[in-house]
Amino acid sequence: MDIPVWLVWIILGLVVLQTVALVPLIRRLRSADSAVRSEARLALLDSVGNLLILGSLPLTLLADSWFWLTLAGLAVVAPAMTAKGVRLLRARRPPTA
């Protein structure tokens, strides 16, 4: 299968942007507030999982043996998104008296 070169460049650009986005997340991990650190851990898991998925796309298109990297990225993103969703639902729940 012939892959357009522009598609690979777009994906590589997204990988670079995702890598640059890791810098503020790592800085938030050093915060004194435990809630900020906890949110930063979830965001870091999400970002690393997305980086694995984005990085594996051009590799999978070029060679079929890199599909496992996509599955690893999905395995990292799924628990992070689940935990974020649970936190969002807990925050929206009205307080009980």
Side-chain angles (χ1 to χ4, degrees):
M1 181 173 166
D2 193 23
I3 303 159
V5 176
W6 58 270
L7 180 63
V8 174
W9 282 109
I10 289 174
I11 293 172
L12 288 176
L14 290 173
V15 168
V16 168
L17 288 175
Q18 191 73 31
T19 306
V20 170
L22 287 174
V23 174
L25 290 175
I26 293 172
R27 286 186 183 155
R28 285 193 322 193
L29 283 173
R30 297 185 207 161
S31 174
D33 188 14
S34 65
V36 173
R37 284 193 314 261
S38 178
E39 286 182 24
R41 284 186 198 111
L42 289 175
L44 185 65
L45 275 177
D46 185 30
S47 184
V48 168
N50 287 330
L51 189 61
L52 284 172
I53 292 170
L54 280 174
S56 69
L57 285 176
L59 292 172
T60 301
L61 291 173
L62 297 173
D64 293 331
S65 63
W66 288 94
F67 184 71
W68 61 271
L69 201 56
T70 304
L71 296 176
L74 289 173
V76 171
V77 169
M81 286 295 183
T82 303
K84 283 182 176 183
V86 167
R87 281 189 172 196
L88 179 67
L89 288 175
R90 279 187 179 173
R92 294 184 67 191
R93 186 184 327 162
T96 58

Coordinates of all heavy atoms in Angstrom, one line a residue:
M1 N 0.8 -1.2 0.0 CA 0.0 0.0 0.0 C 0.9 1.2 0.0 O 1.8 1.4 0.8 CB -0.9 0.0 1.2 CG -1.8 1.1 1.4 SD -2.9 0.8 2.8 CE -3.6 2.4 3.0
D2 N 0.6 2.1 -0.9 CA 1.4 3.3 -1.0 C 0.8 4.4 -0.1 O -0.3 4.8 -0.3 CB 1.5 3.8 -2.5 CG 2.5 4.9 -2.7 OD1 3.5 4.9 -1.9 OD2 2.4 5.6 -3.7
I3 N 1.6 5.0 0.8 CA 1.1 5.9 1.8 C 1.6 7.3 1.3 O 2.8 7.5 0.9 CB 1.8 5.7 3.1 CG1 1.4 4.3 3.6 CG2 1.3 6.7 4.1 CD1 2.3 3.7 4.6
P4 N 0.7 8.3 1.3 CA 1.1 9.6 0.9 C 2.1 10.2 1.9 O 1.9 10.0 3.1 CB -0.2 10.4 0.9 CG -1.3 9.5 1.1 CD -0.8 8.2 1.5
V5 N 3.1 10.9 1.4 CA 4.1 11.4 2.2 C 3.6 12.5 3.1 O 4.0 12.6 4.3 CB 5.3 11.9 1.3 CG1 6.4 12.6 2.2 CG2 5.9 10.8 0.5
W6 N 2.6 13.3 2.6 CA 2.1 14.4 3.4 C 1.4 13.8 4.7 O 1.4 14.5 5.7 CB 1.2 15.3 2.6 CG 0.0 14.5 2.0 CD1 0.0 14.0 0.8 CD2 -1.3 14.3 2.6 NE1 -1.3 13.4 0.5 CE2 -2.0 13.6 1.6 CE3 -1.8 14.7 3.8 CZ2 -3.4 13.2 1.9 CZ3 -3.2 14.3 4.0 CH2 -3.9 13.6 3.1
L7 N 0.8 12.7 4.6 CA 0.1 12.1 5.8 C 1.1 11.7 6.9 O 0.9 12.0 8.0 CB -0.7 10.9 5.4 CG -1.5 10.2 6.5 CD1 -2.5 11.1 7.0 CD2 -2.1 8.9 6.0
V8 N 2.2 11.2 6.5 CA 3.3 10.8 7.4 C 3.8 12.1 8.1 O 4.1 12.1 9.3 CB 4.4 10.0 6.8 CG1 5.6 9.8 7.7 CG2 3.9 8.7 6.3
W9 N 4.0 13.2 7.3 CA 4.5 14.4 7.9 C 3.5 15.1 8.8 O 3.9 15.6 9.9 CB 4.9 15.4 6.8 CG 6.2 15.1 6.1 CD1 6.4 14.6 4.9 CD2 7.5 15.2 6.7 NE1 7.7 14.4 4.7 CE2 8.4 14.7 5.8 CE3 7.9 15.6 7.9 CZ2 9.8 14.7 6.0 CZ3 9.3 15.6 8.2 CH2 10.2 15.2 7.2
I10 N 2.3 15.0 8.5 CA 1.2 15.5 9.5 C 1.3 14.7 10.8 O 1.2 15.3 11.9 CB -0.2 15.4 8.8 CG1 -0.3 16.5 7.7 CG2 -1.3 15.6 9.8 CD1 -1.5 16.4 6.9
I11 N 1.4 13.4 10.7 CA 1.4 12.6 11.9 C 2.7 12.9 12.7 O 2.6 13.0 13.9 CB 1.3 11.1 11.6 CG1 -0.1 10.8 11.0 CG2 1.5 10.2 12.8 CD1 -0.3 9.4 10.5
L12 N 3.8 13.0 12.0 CA 5.0 13.3 12.8 C 5.0 14.7 13.4 O 5.5 14.9 14.5 CB 6.2 13.2 11.8 CG 6.6 11.8 11.4 CD1 7.7 11.9 10.4 CD2 7.0 11.0 12.6
G13 N 4.3 15.7 12.8 CA 4.1 17.0 13.4 C 3.2 16.9 14.6 O 3.5 17.6 15.6
L14 N 2.2 16.1 14.6 CA 1.4 15.9 15.8 C 2.2 15.2 16.9 O 1.9 15.5 18.1 CB 0.1 15.0 15.4 CG -0.9 15.7 14.5 CD1 -2.0 14.8 14.1 CD2 -1.5 16.9 15.2
V15 N 3.0 14.3 16.5 CA 3.9 13.7 17.6 C 4.8 14.7 18.2 O 5.0 14.7 19.4 CB 4.7 12.5 16.9 CG1 5.8 12.0 17.9 CG2 3.8 11.4 16.6
V16 N 5.4 15.6 17.4 CA 6.2 16.6 18.0 C 5.4 17.6 18.9 O 5.9 17.9 20.0 CB 6.9 17.4 16.9 CG1 7.6 18.7 17.4 CG2 7.9 16.6 16.1
L17 N 4.2 18.0 18.5 CA 3.4 18.8 19.3 C 3.0 18.1 20.6 O 3.0 18.7 21.7 CB 2.1 19.2 18.6 CG 2.3 20.3 17.5 CD1 1.0 20.5 16.7 CD2 2.8 21.6 18.1
Q18 N 2.7 16.8 20.6 CA 2.3 16.1 21.8 C 3.5 16.0 22.7 O 3.4 16.0 23.9 CB 1.8 14.7 21.4 CG 1.2 13.9 22.5 CD -0.1 14.5 22.9 OE1 -0.9 15.0 22.1 NE2 -0.5 14.3 24.1
T19 N 4.7 15.8 22.1 CA 5.9 15.8 23.0 C 6.2 17.1 23.6 O 6.6 17.1 24.8 CB 7.1 15.4 22.1 OG1 6.8 14.2 21.4 CG2 8.4 15.2 22.9
V20 N 6.0 18.2 22.9 CA 6.2 19.5 23.5 C 5.2 19.8 24.7 O 5.5 20.4 25.7 CB 6.1 20.6 22.5 CG1 6.0 22.0 23.0 CG2 7.3 20.5 21.5
A21 N 4.0 19.2 24.5 CA 2.9 19.4 25.5 C 3.3 18.6 26.8 O 2.6 18.9 27.9 CB 1.6 18.9 25.0
L22 N 4.2 17.7 26.8 CA 4.6 17.0 28.0 C 5.4 17.9 29.0 O 5.3 17.6 30.2 CB 5.5 15.8 27.7 CG 4.9 14.6 27.0 CD1 5.9 13.6 26.6 CD2 3.9 14.0 27.9
V23 N 6.0 19.0 28.6 CA 6.8 19.9 29.4 C 5.9 20.5 30.6 O 6.3 20.4 31.7 CB 7.5 20.9 28.6 CG1 8.2 21.9 29.5 CG2 8.5 20.3 27.7
P24 N 4.8 21.1 30.3 CA 4.0 21.7 31.4 C 3.4 20.6 32.3 O 3.3 20.8 33.5 CB 2.8 22.4 30.7 CG 3.1 22.5 29.3 CD 4.2 21.5 29.0
L25 N 3.1 19.4 31.8 CA 2.6 18.3 32.6 C 3.7 17.9 33.6 O 3.4 17.6 34.8 CB 2.2 17.1 31.7 CG 1.0 17.3 30.9 CD1 0.8 16.1 30.0 CD2 -0.2 17.6 31.8
I26 N 4.9 17.8 33.2 CA 6.0 17.4 34.1 C 6.2 18.4 35.1 O 6.5 18.1 36.3 CB 7.3 17.1 33.2 CG1 7.0 15.8 32.4 CG2 8.5 16.9 34.2 CD1 8.1 15.5 31.4
R27 N 6.1 19.7 34.8 CA 6.2 20.8 35.8 C 5.1 20.7 36.8 O 5.3 21.0 38.0 CB 6.2 22.1 35.1 CG 7.5 22.4 34.3 CD 7.5 23.8 33.8 NE 8.7 24.0 33.0 CZ 8.8 24.9 32.0 NH1 7.8 25.7 31.7 NH2 9.9 25.0 31.4
R28 N 3.9 20.4 36.4 CA 2.8 20.3 37.3 C 3.0 19.1 38.3 O 2.4 19.1 39.4 CB 1.4 20.1 36.6 CG 1.0 21.4 36.0 CD -0.4 21.4 35.5 NE -0.8 20.1 35.0 CZ -1.9 19.9 34.3 NH1 -2.8 20.9 34.1 NH2 -2.3 18.7 33.8
L29 N 3.7 18.1 37.9 CA 4.0 17.0 38.8 C 4.8 17.4 40.0 O 4.8 16.7 41.0 CB 4.7 15.9 38.1 CG 3.9 15.0 37.1 CD1 4.8 14.1 36.4 CD2 2.9 14.2 37.9
R30 N 5.5 18.5 39.9 CA 6.4 19.0 41.0 C 5.6 19.9 42.0 O 6.2 20.5 42.9 CB 7.6 19.7 40.5 CG 8.5 18.8 39.7 CD 9.7 19.5 39.3 NE 10.3 19.0 38.1 CZ 11.1 19.6 37.3 NH1 11.5 20.8 37.6 NH2 11.5 19.0 36.2
S31 N 4.3 20.1 41.7 CA 3.5 21.1 42.5 C 3.4 20.6 44.0 O 3.5 19.4 44.3 CB 2.2 21.2 41.9 OG 1.3 22.0 42.7
A32 N 3.2 21.5 44.9 CA 3.0 21.2 46.3 C 1.6 20.7 46.6 O 1.5 19.9 47.5 CB 3.3 22.4 47.1
D33 N 0.7 21.1 45.8 CA -0.7 20.6 46.0 C -0.9 19.2 45.5 O -0.6 18.9 44.3 CB -1.6 21.6 45.2 CG -3.1 21.4 45.6 OD1 -3.4 20.6 46.5 OD2 -3.9 21.9 44.8
S34 N -1.4 18.3 46.3 CA -1.6 16.9 45.9 C -2.7 16.8 44.9 O -2.6 15.8 44.0 CB -1.9 16.1 47.1 OG -3.2 16.5 47.7
A35 N -3.7 17.6 44.9 CA -4.8 17.5 43.8 C -4.2 17.8 42.5 O -4.6 17.2 41.5 CB -5.9 18.4 44.2
V36 N -3.4 18.8 42.4 CA -2.7 19.2 41.1 C -1.8 18.1 40.6 O -1.8 17.7 39.4 CB -2.0 20.5 41.3 CG1 -1.2 20.8 40.0 CG2 -2.9 21.7 41.6
R37 N -1.1 17.5 41.5 CA -0.2 16.4 41.1 C -1.0 15.2 40.7 O -0.6 14.5 39.7 CB 0.7 16.0 42.3 CG 1.8 16.9 42.6 CD 2.8 16.3 43.5 NE 2.2 15.6 44.7 CZ 2.1 16.1 45.9 NH1 2.6 17.3 46.1 NH2 1.6 15.5 46.9
S38 N -2.1 14.9 41.3 CA -2.9 13.8 40.9 C -3.5 14.0 39.5 O -3.5 13.1 38.7 CB -4.1 13.6 41.9 OG -4.9 12.5 41.6
E39 N -4.0 15.2 39.3 CA -4.6 15.5 37.9 C -3.4 15.5 36.9 O -3.7 15.0 35.7 CB -5.2 16.9 37.9 CG -6.5 16.9 38.6 CD -7.2 18.3 38.5 OE1 -6.9 19.0 37.6 OE2 -8.0 18.6 39.4
A40 N -2.2 15.9 37.3 CA -1.1 15.9 36.3 C -0.7 14.5 36.0 O -0.3 14.2 34.9 CB 0.1 16.6 36.9
R41 N -0.8 13.5 36.9 CA -0.5 12.1 36.7 C -1.5 11.6 35.6 O -1.1 10.9 34.7 CB -0.6 11.3 37.9 CG 0.6 11.5 38.8 CD 0.6 10.5 40.0 NE 1.4 11.0 41.0 CZ 1.0 11.4 42.2 NH1 -0.2 11.5 42.5 NH2 1.9 11.8 43.1
L42 N -2.8 11.8 35.8 CA -3.7 11.4 34.8 C -3.5 12.0 33.5 O -3.6 11.3 32.4 CB -5.2 11.6 35.3 CG -5.6 10.8 36.5 CD1 -7.0 11.3 36.9 CD2 -5.7 9.3 36.1
A43 N -3.2 13.3 33.4 CA -3.0 14.0 32.2 C -1.7 13.4 31.5 O -1.6 13.3 30.3 CB -2.9 15.5 32.4
L44 N -0.7 13.1 32.3 CA 0.5 12.5 31.8 C 0.3 11.1 31.2 O 0.8 10.8 30.1 CB 1.6 12.5 32.9 CG 3.0 12.0 32.4 CD1 3.6 13.0 31.5 CD2 3.9 11.8 33.6
L45 N -0.5 10.3 31.9 CA -0.9 9.0 31.3 C -1.6 9.2 30.0 O -1.3 8.4 29.0 CB -1.7 8.2 32.3 CG -1.0 7.4 33.4 CD1 -2.1 6.8 34.3 CD2 -0.2 6.4 32.7
D46 N -2.5 10.1 30.0 CA -3.3 10.3 28.7 C -2.4 10.8 27.6 O -2.5 10.3 26.5 CB -4.4 11.4 29.0 CG -5.3 11.6 27.9 OD1 -5.5 10.7 27.1 OD2 -5.8 12.7 27.8
S47 N -1.5 11.7 27.9 CA -0.6 12.3 26.9 C 0.4 11.2 26.4 O 0.6 11.1 25.2 CB 0.2 13.4 27.5 OG 1.0 14.0 26.5
V48 N 0.9 10.4 27.3 CA 1.9 9.3 26.9 C 1.1 8.3 26.0 O 1.7 7.8 25.0 CB 2.5 8.7 28.1 CG1 3.3 7.4 27.7 CG2 3.5 9.7 28.7
G49 N -0.1 7.9 26.4 CA -0.9 7.0 25.6 C -1.2 7.6 24.2 O -1.1 6.8 23.2
N50 N -1.5 8.8 24.2 CA -1.8 9.4 22.8 C -0.5 9.5 22.0 O -0.6 9.4 20.8 CB -2.4 10.8 23.0 CG -3.8 10.8 23.5 OD1 -4.6 9.9 23.2 ND2 -4.2 11.8 24.2
L51 N 0.6 9.7 22.7 CA 1.9 9.8 22.0 C 2.2 8.4 21.4 O 2.7 8.3 20.3 CB 3.0 10.2 22.9 CG 4.3 10.5 22.3 CD1 4.2 11.6 21.3 CD2 5.3 10.9 23.4
L52 N 1.9 7.3 22.1 CA 2.1 6.0 21.6 C 1.2 5.7 20.4 O 1.7 5.1 19.4 CB 1.8 5.0 22.7 CG 2.9 4.8 23.8 CD1 2.4 3.9 24.9 CD2 4.2 4.2 23.2
I53 N 0.0 6.1 20.5 CA -0.9 5.9 19.4 C -0.5 6.7 18.2 O -0.4 6.1 17.1 CB -2.4 6.3 19.8 CG1 -2.9 5.3 20.9 CG2 -3.3 6.3 18.6 CD1 -4.2 5.7 21.5
L54 N -0.2 8.0 18.4 CA 0.2 8.8 17.2 C 1.5 8.3 16.6 O 1.7 8.3 15.4 CB 0.4 10.2 17.7 CG -0.9 11.0 17.7 CD1 -0.7 12.4 18.3 CD2 -1.6 11.2 16.4
G55 N 2.5 7.9 17.5 CA 3.7 7.4 17.0 C 3.6 6.1 16.2 O 4.4 5.8 15.3
S56 N 2.7 5.3 16.7 CA 2.5 4.0 16.0 C 1.8 4.0 14.7 O 2.0 3.1 13.9 CB 1.8 3.0 16.9 OG 0.4 3.4 17.1
L57 N 1.1 5.1 14.4 CA 0.3 5.2 13.2 C 1.2 5.2 11.9 O 1.0 4.4 11.0 CB -0.6 6.4 13.2 CG -1.8 6.3 14.0 CD1 -2.6 7.6 14.0 CD2 -2.7 5.2 13.5
P58 N 2.3 6.0 11.9 CA 3.1 6.0 10.7 C 3.9 4.7 10.6 O 4.2 4.1 9.6 CB 4.0 7.2 10.8 CG 4.0 7.6 12.2 CD 2.7 7.2 12.7
L59 N 4.3 4.2 11.8 CA 5.1 2.9 11.8 C 4.2 1.7 11.4 O 4.7 0.8 10.7 CB 5.6 2.6 13.2 CG 6.7 3.6 13.7 CD1 7.0 3.3 15.2 CD2 7.9 3.4 12.9
T60 N 2.9 1.7 11.7 CA 2.0 0.7 11.3 C 1.8 0.8 9.8 O 1.7 -0.2 9.1 CB 0.7 0.8 12.1 OG1 1.0 0.6 13.4 CG2 -0.2 -0.4 11.7
L61 N 1.7 2.0 9.3 CA 1.5 2.2 7.9 C 2.7 1.8 7.0 O 2.5 1.3 5.9 CB 1.1 3.7 7.5 CG -0.2 4.1 8.1 CD1 -0.4 5.6 7.8 CD2 -1.4 3.4 7.4
L62 N 3.9 1.9 7.6 CA 5.1 1.6 6.9 C 5.5 0.1 7.1 O 6.0 -0.5 6.2 CB 6.2 2.5 7.3 CG 6.1 4.0 7.0 CD1 7.2 4.8 7.7 CD2 6.0 4.2 5.5
A63 N 5.2 -0.4 8.2 CA 5.5 -1.8 8.5 C 4.4 -2.4 9.4 O 4.1 -1.8 10.4 CB 6.9 -1.9 9.2
D64 N 3.9 -3.5 9.1 CA 2.8 -4.1 9.8 C 3.1 -4.6 11.2 O 2.2 -4.9 12.0 CB 2.1 -5.2 9.0 CG 1.5 -4.7 7.8 OD1 1.1 -3.6 7.8 OD2 1.4 -5.5 6.8
S65 N 4.3 -4.7 11.6 CA 4.7 -5.3 12.9 C 4.6 -4.3 14.0 O 4.9 -4.7 15.1 CB 6.1 -5.9 12.8 OG 7.0 -4.8 12.5
W66 N 4.2 -3.1 13.8 CA 4.2 -2.1 14.9 C 2.8 -1.9 15.4 O 2.5 -0.9 16.2 CB 4.7 -0.8 14.4 CG 6.2 -0.8 14.2 CD1 6.9 -1.1 13.1 CD2 7.2 -0.6 15.2 NE1 8.2 -1.1 13.3 CE2 8.4 -0.8 14.6 CE3 7.2 -0.3 16.6 CZ2 9.6 -0.7 15.3 CZ3 8.3 -0.2 17.3 CH2 9.6 -0.4 16.6
F67 N 1.8 -2.7 15.1 CA 0.4 -2.5 15.5 C 0.3 -2.7 17.0 O -0.6 -2.1 17.7 CB -0.5 -3.5 14.8 CG -1.9 -3.3 15.1 CD1 -2.6 -2.2 14.7 CD2 -2.6 -4.2 15.9 CE1 -3.9 -2.0 15.0 CE2 -3.9 -4.0 16.2 CZ -4.6 -2.9 15.8
W68 N 1.2 -3.5 17.6 CA 1.1 -3.7 19.1 C 1.3 -2.4 19.9 O 0.8 -2.3 21.0 CB 2.1 -4.7 19.5 CG 3.5 -4.3 19.2 CD1 4.2 -4.6 18.1 CD2 4.4 -3.6 20.1 NE1 5.5 -4.0 18.2 CE2 5.6 -3.4 19.4 CE3 4.3 -3.1 21.3 CZ2 6.7 -2.7 19.9 CZ3 5.4 -2.4 21.9 CH2 6.6 -2.2 21.2
L69 N 2.0 -1.4 19.3 CA 2.3 -0.2 19.9 C 1.0 0.6 20.1 O 0.7 1.3 21.1 CB 3.3 0.6 19.2 CG 4.0 1.7 19.9 CD1 4.7 1.2 21.1 CD2 5.1 2.4 19.0
T70 N 0.1 0.5 19.0 CA -1.2 1.1 19.1 C -2.0 0.5 20.2 O -2.7 1.2 21.0 CB -2.0 0.9 17.8 OG1 -1.2 1.4 16.7 CG2 -3.3 1.6 17.8
L71 N -2.0 -0.8 20.4 CA -2.7 -1.4 21.4 C -2.2 -1.1 22.8 O -3.0 -0.9 23.8 CB -2.7 -3.0 21.3 CG -3.3 -3.5 20.0 CD1 -3.1 -5.0 19.9 CD2 -4.8 -3.1 20.0
A72 N -0.9 -0.9 22.9 CA -0.3 -0.4 24.2 C -0.8 1.0 24.5 O -1.1 1.3 25.7 CB 1.2 -0.5 24.1
G73 N -0.8 1.8 23.5 CA -1.3 3.2 23.7 C -2.8 3.2 24.2 O -3.2 4.0 25.1
L74 N -3.6 2.4 23.6 CA -5.0 2.3 24.0 C -5.1 1.7 25.4 O -6.0 2.2 26.1 CB -5.8 1.4 23.0 CG -6.0 2.0 21.6 CD1 -6.6 1.0 20.7 CD2 -6.9 3.2 21.7
A75 N -4.3 0.8 25.7 CA -4.3 0.3 27.1 C -3.9 1.3 28.1 O -4.3 1.2 29.3 CB -3.4 -1.0 27.2
V76 N -3.1 2.3 27.8 CA -2.7 3.3 28.7 C -3.8 4.4 28.7 O -4.1 5.0 29.8 CB -1.4 3.9 28.3 CG1 -1.0 5.2 29.1 CG2 -0.3 2.9 28.5
V77 N -4.4 4.7 27.6 CA -5.4 5.8 27.5 C -6.7 5.4 28.2 O -7.3 6.3 28.9 CB -5.6 6.3 26.1 CG1 -6.8 7.2 25.9 CG2 -4.4 6.9 25.5
A78 N -7.1 4.2 28.0 CA -8.4 3.8 28.6 C -8.6 4.0 30.1 O -9.5 4.6 30.5 CB -8.7 2.3 28.2
P79 N -7.6 3.5 30.9 CA -7.8 3.7 32.4 C -7.7 5.2 32.7 O -8.4 5.7 33.6 CB -6.6 3.0 33.0 CG -6.1 2.0 32.0 CD -6.5 2.6 30.6
A80 N -6.8 6.0 32.0 CA -6.7 7.4 32.3 C -8.0 8.1 32.0 O -8.5 8.9 32.8 CB -5.6 8.0 31.5
M81 N -8.6 7.8 30.9 CA -9.9 8.4 30.5 C -11.0 8.0 31.5 O -11.9 8.8 31.9 CB -10.3 8.1 29.1 CG -9.5 8.8 28.1 SD -9.8 10.6 28.2 CE -8.9 11.2 26.9
T82 N -11.0 6.8 31.9 CA -12.0 6.3 32.9 C -11.9 7.0 34.2 O -12.9 7.4 34.8 CB -11.8 4.8 33.1 OG1 -11.9 4.1 31.8 CG2 -12.9 4.2 34.0
A83 N -10.6 7.2 34.7 CA -10.4 7.9 35.9 C -10.8 9.3 35.8 O -11.4 9.9 36.8 CB -9.0 7.8 36.4
K84 N -10.6 10.0 34.7 CA -11.0 11.3 34.5 C -12.5 11.5 34.5 O -13.1 12.4 35.0 CB -10.4 11.9 33.2 CG -8.9 12.3 33.2 CD -8.5 12.8 31.9 CE -7.1 13.3 31.9 NZ -6.7 13.9 30.6
G85 N -13.1 10.5 33.8 CA -14.6 10.5 33.8 C -15.2 10.3 35.2 O -16.2 11.0 35.5
V86 N -14.7 9.4 36.0 CA -15.2 9.2 37.3 C -15.0 10.5 38.1 O -15.9 10.9 38.9 CB -14.5 8.0 38.0 CG1 -14.7 8.0 39.5 CG2 -14.9 6.7 37.3
R87 N -13.9 11.1 38.0 CA -13.7 12.4 38.8 C -14.6 13.5 38.3 O -15.2 14.2 39.1 CB -12.2 12.9 38.5 CG -11.2 12.2 39.3 CD -9.9 12.9 39.2 NE -9.0 12.4 40.1 CZ -7.9 12.9 40.5 NH1 -7.5 14.1 40.0 NH2 -7.1 12.4 41.4
L88 N -14.9 13.5 37.0 CA -15.9 14.5 36.5 C -17.3 14.3 37.1 O -18.0 15.2 37.5 CB -15.9 14.5 35.0 CG -16.9 15.5 34.3 CD1 -16.4 16.9 34.6 CD2 -16.9 15.2 32.8
L89 N -17.7 13.0 37.1 CA -19.0 12.7 37.6 C -19.1 12.9 39.1 O -20.1 13.3 39.6 CB -19.3 11.2 37.3 CG -19.6 10.9 35.8 CD1 -19.8 9.4 35.7 CD2 -20.8 11.7 35.4
R90 N -18.0 12.6 39.9 CA -18.0 12.9 41.3 C -18.1 14.4 41.6 O -18.7 14.9 42.5 CB -16.8 12.4 42.0 CG -16.8 10.9 42.3 CD -15.6 10.5 43.1 NE -15.7 9.1 43.4 CZ -14.7 8.5 44.0 NH1 -13.6 9.1 44.3 NH2 -14.8 7.2 44.2
A91 N -17.4 15.2 40.7 CA -17.5 16.7 40.9 C -18.8 17.2 40.6 O -19.2 18.3 41.2 CB -16.4 17.3 40.1
R92 N -19.6 16.6 39.7 CA -20.9 17.1 39.3 C -22.0 16.7 40.2 O -23.1 17.2 40.2 CB -21.2 16.7 37.9 CG -20.3 17.4 36.9 CD -20.6 17.0 35.5 NE -21.9 17.6 35.2 CZ -22.6 17.4 34.1 NH1 -22.2 16.5 33.3 NH2 -23.8 17.9 33.9
R93 N -21.7 15.7 41.1 CA -22.8 15.1 42.0 C -23.1 16.1 43.0 O -22.2 16.7 43.6 CB -22.2 13.8 42.6 CG -23.3 13.2 43.4 CD -22.9 12.0 44.2 NE -21.8 11.2 43.5 CZ -21.1 10.3 44.1 NH1 -21.2 10.1 45.4 NH2 -20.2 9.7 43.4
P94 N -24.4 16.4 43.3 CA -24.7 17.3 44.4 C -24.3 16.8 45.7 O -24.3 15.6 46.0 CB -26.2 17.4 44.3 CG -26.7 16.2 43.5 CD -25.5 15.8 42.7
P95 N -23.9 17.7 46.6 CA -23.5 17.2 48.0 C -24.7 16.7 48.7 O -25.8 17.2 48.6 CB -22.9 18.5 48.6 CG -23.5 19.6 47.8 CD -23.8 19.1 46.4
T96 N -24.4 15.6 49.5 CA -25.5 15.0 50.3 C -25.4 15.7 51.7 O -24.4 16.1 52.2 CB -25.3 13.5 50.5 OG1 -24.0 13.3 51.0 CG2 -25.4 12.8 49.1
A97 N -26.6 15.8 52.3 CA -26.7 16.5 53.6 C -26.5 15.6 54.7 O -26.1 14.6 55.0 CB -28.1 17.1 53.8

